[in-house]
Amino acid sequence: MRHTISILLANEAGELSRIVGLFSARGYNIETLSVGKTQDPKWSKATIVTDGDDATVEQIVKQCSRLARVKDVRLVTTQPHIEREMALIDVSVSAGAERQEVMNLVKIFRAKVVDISHDKMVLEASGTRDKVDTFIEMLKPLAVNEVTRSGSVAINRLSSLESFRSDTKAEAVAA
Amino acid sequence: MAFQHFRDSMNQSAVIAEPAVALNTLAQSSETPALSCRGAEILIRGLIANGVDTIFGLPGGAVLHIYDELWRYRNDITHYLVRHEQGAVHAAEGYARATGKVGVALVTSGPGATNAVTGIATAYMDSIPLVVITGQVPTGLIGTDAFQEVDTFGITLPVVKHSYLVRKAEDLEDIINEAFFIASSGKPGPVVIDIPKDVTAQITEYRGGTDGFAEYHEYHSEPDRPVVEAVVRKILAAKQPVFYVGGGVVSSGASDELISLVEKLNIPVTPTLMGLGGFPSAHTNSLGMLGMHGTYASNLAVAESDLLIAVGVRFDDRVTGKLNTFAPNAEVIHIDIDASNMGKLRKPQIPVVSDAATALAAINTSLESESLDTERLATWWQKIREWQAAVPLGCSGSEDEIDPQCLIETLHEVTEGDAVIVTDVGQHQMWAAQFYPFKRSRQCLTSGGLGTMGFGLPAAMGARIALPDQMVVAVVGDGGFQMTNQEIITAIQYNVPLKVVIMNNGYLGMVRQWQEMFYDRTYSEVDLSVSPDFVKLAEAYGAKGLRATKPSELRSVLKEGLEYDGVAIMDIVVKKEENVFPIVPAGGESRNMILK
């Protein structure tokens, strides 16, 4: 199953390799990875999408939590969350009907044209993974020259944050 | 690195032993209390501030400034010059395992660091607190394939609790202090500090003290009240409970709490290899070690148990055998400081993420008000006593050859059960675990997780240095002995009365046993009958060399070697093809033991 893990780690050299190392040491593939500074430049947020059964992912979360420079690890997929990807797509488009068709797709998917020449366009699409997938699929009958996709970034829905934290404790007491 | 420091550095640095030069600096700088020193001196002062008086190491180009400074501080820190960096880390481990203090090793860049990796990994697997300082090429040369350059940070990444590549001398003091905190707090482990040569030469301020770093983790080691109550209810309801206790009991100092809890509840206890000594082996409630070479009673008790109280353990494959048949009918209470051990291999009914000593103390307190019927587990105990009587551990006692098991039993008698036993890895390790009843925590030092041959001799040296008033005996095989015996000369040089008992069967014995049992006696590359004369080897080092080949010589050779005032190497030639029993074949069901 696909899981999205959100990790708050120190913005220091080598810290990301520790996390990536936890995955490779156990033979788990990272599907997407995106990292950036948070509002406090001492900390970075990494969003990792991985494929694995629940037990595997639980282990990854716990092992990441153990690292000295990791402040918080969340399995965002267990809670209501917002997840977005972005893609930059280079397509060959001739002027006229073909360009019109692309413009329609851009409108439907709320994408953007970010560069244009006589016979090409660069499009920017963002949204859920499915949406970006579908957009690229729809463009395929035209000549898609290059696709560059970002990793996912995710954040929990405002309503879910409180309940998330108390979960593990409740489980222990119930047992 | 952004650290906050609030301190009165004048007061802090006054605590530290000052060499003459530094004292002058201090006297002159009454307005700015911090001292100016080069990185190397900051490192040494940082070590002293963190209570270090002993380090193990071997110099090289990248650590020359550090060694230069170390020489000036030689009255504060004793440096033991090992002959191979693996020996340095194992000695530091032995020191740490014997005392619970952080062990320190210092090695140079490149091959110095790679030679240290085996020791670092050994400490990582057994959660041993270490700070390993590695030299690195100057920052300007990093990444240029410079002479003796290796990516130490990268190479050690999977086997450290934490690591640093120090980029400037100003960071060094906080890093050292934090390294000692990380190595020894929570679940202990090795920390590597990789220091480029130019950083050790840079001049900067030294403030003194041991704080100044941000704590990233808080260790919530107190279990919640309702969890403790749930644990107590489960324990009192169990009909066939067993305590399964490991290295966490030793490292958290939970032994007394465990003994008092066990005696209150009258529940049987089985320790792992790493847990040996955490509960006295000779206690009437102890069933002996469990697992691959565990006792018949231990493995059966676990297999039949309805409640497993797992304390400071991680359900290692050498303990569980085939996982889904391990304690198949038991509910599990898992007490461990490492949350990632919860459910890693076996999902507990009650996970208790806590320091073992704290958790057991809380359970003890909570049980104070209970009045317990001492006979409530009588049927369970009756079963266990039958298993113990059916298959006891024993040695046959042959006339003309020394039984390896008898060697351990005799060693136990000669040392009156008080010696700290440091083992290597293999058959002798299992026999030591089975036949030397350990009385206390930190009496059995062994490489459990990584199973590092060559660990025993240097680790025993480190342990003996840490325990100048105690008898420390390395029990090693003839294979492992030859992996690190160069450290005999280190023991000679520093007058460390190291005692080494070589259980010499002329084989890589454990591999030979597996080849005998599981590979049709195809003895592929295990024959060590071509070995040096260990007695002459000992003498070449300036140590006392002794040999016993007959049972009649055993006791007197052990006595003579142990009583000798200096390093003694005892070559005990034992039966060549003896096997360790019981044995649960790897991945097998732990109740299906091969008994002979």
Side-chain angles (χ1 to χ4, degrees):
Chain A
M1 203 195 138
R2 212 168 154 267
H3 291 275
T4 305
I5 304 168
S6 178
I7 302 168
L8 192 59
L9 70 152
N11 181 16
E12 287 169 26
E15 293 314 315
L16 188 63
S17 21
R18 258 185 250 280
I19 290 168
V20 173
L22 283 181
F23 284 77
S24 62
R26 284 153 190 81
Y28 306 146
N29 188 34
I30 291 177
E31 208 171 290
T32 80
L33 164 65
S34 69
V35 198
K37 272 190 282 196
T38 62
Q39 69 277 21
D40 178 350
K42 280 199 300 193
W43 298 97
S44 293
K45 174 77 80 70
T47 310
I48 295 179
V49 177
T50 185
D51 208 15
D53 56 62
D54 290 354
T56 301
V57 173
E58 187 189 331
Q59 261 306 299
I60 292 180
V61 168
K62 285 175 173 171
Q63 304 247 356
C64 286
S65 313
R66 226 162 54 152
L67 296 171
R69 287 287 185 274
V70 167
K71 201 180 195 177
D72 192 23
V73 185
R74 284 187 205 165
L75 194 51
V76 285
T77 28
T78 57
Q79 294 292 324
H81 64 286
I82 301 154
E83 193 169 338
R84 294 290 180 266
E85 284 187 20
M86 195 179 105
L88 295 170
I89 307 146
D90 172 339
V91 283
S92 289
V93 198
S94 49
E98 216 173 45
R99 189 177 281 167
Q100 204 47 54
E101 168 64 8
V102 170
M103 291 311 293
N104 281 341
L105 288 172
V106 164
K107 206 172 164 199
I108 292 166
F109 284 90
R110 286 190 217 162
K112 271 187 213 161
V113 179
V114 288
D115 200 5
I116 189 161
S117 70
H118 291 297
D119 55 352
K120 283 177 150 190
M121 290 170 104
V122 177
L123 310 175
E124 175 195 316
S126 71
T128 61
R129 180 190 171 92
D130 280 354
K131 177 184 155 184
V132 175
D133 281 349
T134 316
F135 184 56
I136 294 168
E137 203 52 46
M138 294 302 290
L139 289 168
K140 273 190 182 161
L142 306 157
V144 173
N145 301 312
E146 191 179 344
V147 175
T148 307
R149 289 180 78 150
S150 72
S152 281
V153 290
I155 198 163
N156 274 111
R157 286 206 176 273
L158 301 173
S159 55
S160 69
L161 287 175
E162 280 314 301
S163 55
F164 180 83
R165 287 232 167 69
S166 52
D167 261 10
T168 35
K169 232 173 231 179
E171 220 174 84
V173 176
Chain B
M1 207 164 289
F3 289 124
Q4 301 284 321
H5 347 104
F6 305 100
R7 65 181 65 249
D8 179 353
S9 42
M10 200 56 169
N11 290 342
Q12 303 262 4
S13 47
V15 181
I16 301 159
E18 308 282 349
V21 179
L23 270 178
N24 292 339
T25 323
L26 187 64
Q28 285 158 10
S29 57
S30 51
E31 295 206 23
T32 47
L35 300 167
S36 275
C37 7
R38 59 175 167 171
E41 185 173 2
I42 292 174
L43 170 66
I44 304 298
R45 283 175 162 266
L47 294 177
I48 295 169
N50 281 283
V52 175
D53 57 14
T54 304
I55 70 177
F56 303 90
L58 199 150
V63 287
L64 277 168
H65 296 307
I66 301 173
Y67 271 87
D68 187 51
E69 209 58 65
L70 196 55
W71 186 253
R72 297 178 54 227
Y73 283 90
R74 63 190 179 280
N75 293 330
D76 303 300
I77 296 187
T78 307
H79 175 272
Y80 291 85
L81 173 64
V82 297
R83 300 308 197 263
H84 186 283
E85 289 88 349
Q86 186 185 349
V89 185
H90 288 328
E93 277 191 85
Y95 186 93
R97 288 172 194 253
T99 57
K101 293 200 290 193
V102 178
V104 183
L106 168 59
V107 302
T108 193
S109 65
T114 54
N115 280 345
V117 169
T118 300
I120 297 168
T122 307
Y124 183 71
M125 289 291 273
D126 290 342
S127 305
I128 304 304
L130 286 190
V131 168
V132 179
I133 298 148
T134 56
Q136 184 53 277
V137 300
T139 44
L141 286 179
I142 289 179
T144 66
D145 300 328
F147 177 65
Q148 292 195 330
E149 181 187 1
V150 78
D151 174 11
T152 304
F153 186 91
I155 283 182
T156 57
L157 204 63
V159 292
V160 294
K161 186 173 173 195
H162 195 57
S163 49
Y164 305 86
L165 172 57
V166 186
R167 298 190 180 267
K168 47 187 197 302
E170 294 88 81
D171 295 341
L172 201 47
E173 186 177 355
D174 289 338
I175 285 176
I176 295 158
N177 291 337
E178 193 189 36
F180 276 84
F181 172 77
I182 290 178
S184 57
S185 59
K187 177 174 170 169
V191 176
V192 166
I193 311 178
D194 195 29
I195 314 179
K197 188 172 184 180
D198 56 325
V199 171
T200 61
Q202 288 164 9
I203 308 281
T204 188
E205 283 188 353
Y206 177 74
R207 302 178 315 270
T210 57
D211 51 358
F213 57 88
E215 283 187 30
Y216 287 80
H217 282 256
E218 288 169 47
Y219 293 97
H220 299 286
S221 64
E222 185 82 26
D224 292 337
R225 190 76 233 152
V227 175
V228 175
E229 278 162 14
V231 166
V232 168
R233 277 198 304 276
K234 274 259 190 288
I235 292 177
L236 294 180
K239 301 270 191 304
Q240 308 198 134
V242 176
F243 270 102
Y244 149 42
V245 301
V249 169
V250 173
S251 66
S252 76
S255 200
D256 291 345
E257 292 291 349
L258 177 64
I259 294 167
S260 109
L261 183 58
V262 167
E263 288 178 349
K264 209 174 293 173
L265 294 163
N266 193 25
I267 290 175
V269 182
T270 176
T272 67
L273 180 65
M274 294 306 295
L276 285 170
F279 189 78
S281 308
H283 194 286
T284 168
N285 284 49
S286 175
L287 311 185
M289 187 170 75
L290 83 165
M292 182 174 276
H293 294 296
T295 62
Y296 182 72
S298 278
N299 282 338
L300 282 190
V302 168
E304 300 276 305
S305 66
D306 64 351
L307 178 67
L308 204 55
I309 311 151
V311 189
V313 294
R314 55 187 177 83
F315 293 80
D316 180 82
D317 61 281
R318 285 298 191 263
V319 163
T320 63
K322 191 177 177 188
L323 194 60
N324 59 10
T325 59
F326 179 72
N329 307 316
E331 293 199 297
V332 174
I333 297 168
H334 194 173
I335 300 170
D336 198 88
I337 198 157
D338 182 357
S340 77
N341 277 340
M342 300 297 154
K344 180 171 74 179
L345 292 156
R346 171 74 176 251
K347 197 169 170 59
Q349 273 64 36
I350 308 185
V352 185
V353 180
S354 167
D355 170 76
T358 315
L360 294 181
I363 298 167
N364 267 326
T365 310
S366 162
L367 271 169
E368 263 166 17
S369 51
E370 302 283 339
S371 62
L372 296 172
D373 171 13
T374 46
E375 289 304 298
R376 73 191 200 291
L377 299 175
T379 337
W380 179 223
W381 272 112
Q382 195 184 337
K383 271 194 205 176
I384 289 169
R385 296 299 181 214
E386 278 165 21
W387 293 324
Q388 284 179 311
V391 187
L393 291 171
C395 70
S396 47
S398 90
E399 290 281 307
D400 26 278
E401 287 180 299
I402 299 172
D403 283 312
Q405 301 92 328
C406 291
L407 162 56
I408 303 293
E409 285 186 338
T410 311
L411 180 66
H412 179 248
E413 285 165 29
V414 172
T415 56
E416 291 167 352
D418 273 329
V420 173
I421 302 295
V422 187
T423 81
D424 212 78
V425 170
Q427 286 186 313
H428 70 276
Q429 178 189 30
M430 292 300 113
W431 282 316
Q434 290 176 334
F435 290 91
Y436 198 106
F438 296 99
K439 293 176 182 172
R440 56 181 192 273
S441 283
R442 306 191 182 281
Q443 196 190 354
C444 172
L445 314 183
T446 192
S447 167
L450 197 66
T452 308
M453 283 175 70
F455 166 85
L457 192 150
M461 180 178 72
R464 183 60 178 74
I465 288 165
L467 307 169
D469 304 323
Q470 290 188 43
M471 173 65 75
V472 177
V473 183
V475 178
V476 302
D478 46 323
F481 173 73
Q482 294 185 68
M483 288 189 176
T484 48
N485 65 23
Q486 77 283 347
E487 303 308 340
I488 294 171
I489 201 66
T490 311
I492 295 278
Q493 180 177 347
Y494 297 95
N495 293 316
V496 181
L498 179 65
K499 309 296 175 190
V500 182
V501 173
I502 306 172
M503 187 183 277
N504 183 354
N505 56 16
Y507 276 119
L508 292 166
M510 189 59 96
V511 183
R512 185 210 57 75
Q513 174 174 345
W514 284 44
Q515 290 179 342
E516 177 189 331
M517 298 180 74
F518 311 121
Y519 293 86
D520 251 349
R521 293 184 65 95
T522 304
Y523 287 173
S524 175
E525 306 299 338
V526 288
D527 190 340
L528 292 182
S529 54
V530 180
S531 278
D533 180 328
F534 295 134
V535 172
K536 281 190 186 155
L537 185 73
E539 286 163 358
Y541 278 114
K544 187 162 190 75
L546 296 155
R547 179 174 294 122
T549 54
K550 294 198 289 282
S552 57
E553 299 163 342
L554 177 59
R555 181 178 299 267
S556 59
V557 162
L558 289 178
K559 266 187 102 86
E560 191 183 346
L562 297 178
E563 280 165 12
Y564 175 70
D565 184 19
V567 180
I569 312 296
M570 291 153 267
D571 179 18
I572 313 295
V573 181
V574 298
K575 215 189 249 177
K576 282 181 77 72
E577 298 194 24
E578 184 69 18
N579 290 333
V580 181
F581 291 116
I583 173 170
V584 178
E589 200 173 326
S590 61
R591 62 187 307 144
N592 295 337
M593 290 160 270
I594 301 171
L595 298 173
K596 57 182 146 199

